[in-house]
Amino acid sequence: WLGTAALRGVRVTPDAHRLVPKAVPPQRAAVWIGTALVVGTVVGLVTGWPVAGLGAALGMLVGPAALGGTARRSQEAATADAIATWADMIRDTMAGASGLEESLIQTAAVAPVAIKPQLETFALRLRHQPLDVALDGLATDLNQSSADLIVAALAAAARLEARDLGGLLARLAEAIRGDVRMRTRIEIGRARIRTSARIAVATTGATVVFLYVFARHLLEPYDTAAGQGWLVVVMAVFFGAGVMLHHYSQLEAPERFTLRHISPQEQVR
């Protein structure tokens, strides 16, 4: 693995490669890895095939990421749409002659469910911190490139007293919704591919179990060292296909940027 990373020019750091997706909480990740180890051990002991045990453990770890992830992608789309809705709420509240900070506090109380916890925390910070510091914290909590656009617009308005903030927020909200619609159309098209992959994997697994229970003699060649070698080839084909499916199903999001405090000298320039 280290050699492959070196050939690819990938910098290996403790957080660069994880056995489970980074978004998974540590407690759930521990249970996930433990379950995979137990399943792999049981499969290896029952079949007597070490390769099958290793394949079962790896399948438990990487299978959900390669064949699933629908809930995570739906949550990301819901969060982005909620951010756009919040931008519209800020614009409408400011149109009612409310100041920026007052509008932010008011909209946090009635924010969309997907981002309400983060905005409530932001409103509490805003009562004790300067606006730019609280906005930095909000960008970190939301952790979305679309949120960075809104936060950057709000920070610029607070520092530079932008007059057309309402129009800017409206345009940003429409752009975010357009991005969500585009991603939704792509996901609908890719859902058929994932369904076909799940059917292929489930059918293959069910066939192997059926043969092991009712026609064990057909699987006896895998009891040999050569048979285990061929099983490695079979597993490599499946896992290679899963890695490719996961790789090509990813949508590249724009890199998040960190808000930078602007000094008074830079404001003048």
Side-chain angles (χ1 to χ4, degrees):
W1 170 67
L2 289 173
T4 303
L7 290 175
R8 293 175 55 201
V10 177
R11 182 178 179 181
V12 180
T13 60
D15 294 330
H17 298 81
R18 295 165 60 96
L19 290 175
V20 297
K22 192 173 182 179
V24 178
Q27 296 82 356
R28 185 182 170 191
V31 175
W32 193 343
I33 295 174
T35 303
L37 292 176
V38 171
V39 170
T41 302
V42 170
V43 171
L45 292 175
V46 170
T47 62
W49 301 341
V51 175
L54 179 61
L58 291 177
M60 288 287 296
L61 287 174
V62 305
L67 302 178
T70 303
R72 175 181 56 81
R73 286 184 286 270
S74 298
Q75 178 62 34
E76 290 177 354
T79 301
D81 188 66
I83 291 170
T85 301
W86 179 53
D88 286 337
M89 294 170 63
I90 298 172
R91 179 201 61 194
D92 296 339
T93 305
M94 291 184 63
S98 296
L100 178 57
E101 291 195 23
E102 183 182 351
S103 298
L104 293 175
I105 294 175
Q106 290 178 1
T107 55
V110 292
V113 177
I115 59 173
K116 190 169 185 177
Q118 293 89 335
L119 290 183
E120 288 178 342
T121 302
F122 166 68
L124 291 176
R125 288 198 192 106
L126 198 55
R127 299 180 187 278
H128 308 285
Q129 296 178 348
L131 177 57
D132 54 351
V133 177
L135 285 172
D136 286 348
L138 176 62
T140 301
D141 292 342
L142 292 175
N143 192 30
Q144 272 221 355
S145 56
S146 56
D148 287 345
L149 296 174
I150 303 299
V151 170
L154 295 174
R159 296 168 186 164
L160 307 177
E161 298 182 0
R163 297 180 179 179
D164 192 24
L165 179 59
L168 176 59
L169 291 176
R171 291 190 292 272
L172 289 176
E174 182 58 30
I176 293 171
R177 290 194 177 96
D179 182 71
V180 172
R181 288 193 295 268
M182 178 269 294
R183 291 173 181 270
T184 301
R185 288 195 297 269
I186 293 175
E187 285 301 321
I188 292 174
R190 291 176 174 176
R192 293 190 295 270
I193 300 175
R194 293 194 186 93
T195 301
S196 300
R198 294 190 193 104
I199 293 174
V201 172
T203 302
T204 303
T207 301
V208 172
V209 173
F210 180 85
L211 292 176
Y212 188 86
V213 175
F214 298 102
R216 179 69 176 83
H217 62 282
L218 296 177
L219 300 178
E220 288 179 356
Y222 288 106
D223 294 337
T224 64
Q228 289 295 288
W230 281 109
L231 190 57
V232 169
V233 175
V234 174
M235 293 287 186
V237 171
F238 270 89
F239 283 111
V243 170
M244 293 177 63
L245 180 65
H246 176 67
H247 175 72
Y248 289 118
S249 67
Q250 299 303 303
L251 288 175
E252 292 188 6
E255 292 186 5
R256 296 187 65 240
F257 56 88
T258 303
L259 294 179
R260 183 171 60 90
H261 293 285
I262 304 176
S263 65
Q265 293 79 7
E266 290 176 312
Q267 291 183 20
V268 173
R269 288 199 295 268

